[in-house]
Structure formats: C-alpha cells, structure tokens
Amino acid sequence: DGGITQSPKYLFRKEGQNVTLSCEQNLNHDAMYWYRQDPGQGLRLIYYSQIVNDFQKGDIAEGYSVSREKKESFPLTVTSAQKNPTAFYLCASRETDLSTEAFFGQGTRLTVV
Amino acid sequence: AQKITQTQPGMFVQEKEAVTLDCTYDTSDQSYGLFWYKQPSSGEMIFLIYQGSYDEQNATEGRYSLNFQKARKSANLVISASQLGDSAMYFCAMREGYGNNRLAFGKGNQVVVIP
C-alpha cells in the first residue's frame, strides 16, 4: 500500500544526545515536510523539501537538521542544540500541484529524559 | 504574522447536530489552497476537504462542507449530523501561491461530540 511511514512511534533520548527520526514515503511525492506539535498546539513547520537534494528552513528550524538524498526519504535529526525537544513530530508529503492535500505519517513522540 | 487563525475554544456538540469551525487566513496571493484536517487522539492527521481560491462553489465532501468567503478571508468548516467519532482536533491549513509548497497550519479547534 502507498503511504508515509514514520519510525519509531515512541522515542526516548537523554539530554545532550542527537537523535534521528525516520520518514519514508512510497507515494512518489516531490515535497516532504516536518512539523512539530506541542500539547494543545497546532503544527509548526520545522523544515520542508520540494525536491531531492534541496530543503528550506521552516519557522522553527533551530536545533534541527534534515537531509533529502533520496526522493522517498526525509530524516530529521534533533540535535543537542534543541533546548526543548520533547514533542510530537509529524512528517508529511504531497505532490506539487496546488490542490493536492498532504499525507501524514503516524507521528513520532519524542521524550527527553 | 500568523497566516491561519483558529481562535474558538474547545466545543461540545450534541450528537446529530451540526457544528461550524472558524478559520480565517491571511495572504496577499491570488492563488492559494485551503485545507481542513482532523486529528483524533491517536495522532494521525486525516485530510477532510479542500477549497481552491478560484473555486466559485463551496467545497463539500460527505458530511463536511466548507463555507468559503473570499472577501472576508474565511474558510469555515461545517460538519453536519455530528457523530461520536467526530471528536477530535480540527486544523485549518493554507498553501500559498503556485510553486510554493509551504503549508501553514492553524492552532486547531477541539471538538467533543456528546451523546
């Protein structure tokens, strides 16, 4: 089945460690996104990529890094520079046409311990 | 500046009644798209409905309809005949311009359907 897969679903990290969240899609979508969601809040854009080997910062990129070496993969690294990383992280992908919706993964809940 | 504004507090809705969720947006582009998503407690985001800025008719998808008032820059979601499974957070989102893939989301509306 076509879709977008995030792993792991739950992730625990010690303070000061980097951690990478996986996002894979087999929808052949050009654009991919990473969002952060805090309790009771909306989605805030971290990074997005419109094509392979290209990505742009979103609204809250500090402390995060991404890569887009393959069309189907857009991993997000939460670095030790991110001061408050505990959150729910959602990855999405979409075609580049104006009318198409974004498809979301199931999310990764990251907890810093 | 905030692109999408959703300011309603959490709402309780009686089963089988209709509910309207407000969304206003801010853009200077002539071409844009508006989306509504549902997020149940499990966390996944479910696409509900889409409205293009040039669409003359309001979008409808089953029990969902979008009340699009372009001059007022509002795109309210109407859910008719609420069901218990409609209890969730609802997010309004906008894609600006053509060739720009950036999606901006509002902070969401919490809906709880009661029997």
Side-chain angles (χ1 to χ4, degrees), chain B:
Chain B
Q2 196 168 0
K3 295 287 187 179
I4 298 287
T5 302
Q6 295 177 261
T7 56
Q8 287 168 300
M11 305 171 69
F12 288 95
V13 181
Q14 197 76 39
E15 194 177 8
K16 299 181 184 177
E17 290 188 349
V19 58
T20 298
L21 306 180
D22 296 340
C23 171
T24 59
Y25 59 92
D26 180 26
T27 181
S28 56
D29 286 341
Q30 296 301 310
S31 177
Y32 52 90
L34 296 158
F35 305 81
W36 276 93
Y37 284 85
K38 171 184 177 182
Q39 186 181 41
S41 57
S42 53
E44 76 270 27
M45 297 286 282
I46 303 167
F47 167 73
L48 297 178
I49 197 166
Y50 165 80
Q51 179 83 42
S53 58
Y54 293 119
D55 294 341
E56 294 186 353
Q57 293 198 339
N58 288 341
T60 60
E61 289 286 347
R63 295 187 298 110
Y64 305 107
S65 60
L66 200 151
N67 183 3
F68 182 46
Q69 298 187 41
K70 194 170 183 176
R72 298 179 61 182
K73 294 187 175 179
S74 74
N76 298 341
L77 176 71
V78 180
I79 307 173
S80 62
S82 297
Q83 302 172 356
L84 296 178
D86 293 335
S87 296
M89 284 287 286
Y90 289 83
F91 292 93
C92 181
M94 177 173 65
R95 179 200 181 288
E96 293 181 273
Y98 196 84
N100 174 11
N101 279 295
R102 184 168 177 144
L103 283 174
F105 281 79
K107 293 187 175 182
N109 297 104
Q110 177 75 54
V111 173
V112 176
V113 180
I114 54 177

Side-chain angles (χ1 to χ4, degrees), chain A residues 31 33 35 37 41-43 45 48 50 57-59 88 90 94-102 104-106, chain B residues 31-33 35 37 39 42-45 47 50 89 91 95 97-108:
Chain A
Y33 308 81
Y35 291 92
Q37 186 178 28
Q41 300 295 315
L43 277 66
L45 183 63
Y48 65 106
Q50 301 191 79
K57 292 182 179 180
D59 299 318
F88 187 56
L90 282 161
R94 63 189 295 276
E95 294 181 70
T96 54
D97 185 77
L98 177 68
S99 65
T100 54
E101 74 270 25
F104 283 81
Q106 296 286 324
Chain B
S31 177
Y32 52 90
F35 305 81
Y37 284 85
Q39 186 181 41
S42 53
E44 76 270 27
M45 297 286 282
F47 167 73
Y50 165 80
M89 284 287 286
F91 292 93
R95 179 200 181 288
Y98 196 84
N100 174 11
N101 279 295
R102 184 168 177 144
L103 283 174
F105 281 79
K107 293 187 175 182

Side-chain angles (χ1 to χ4, degrees), chain A residues 69-87:
Chain A
E69 297 176 0
K70 298 185 295 183
K71 189 174 186 178
E72 59 269 24
S73 179
F74 191 42
L76 173 74
T77 296
V78 184
T79 75
S80 56
Q82 170 51 236
K83 297 304 178 188
N84 186 21
T86 295

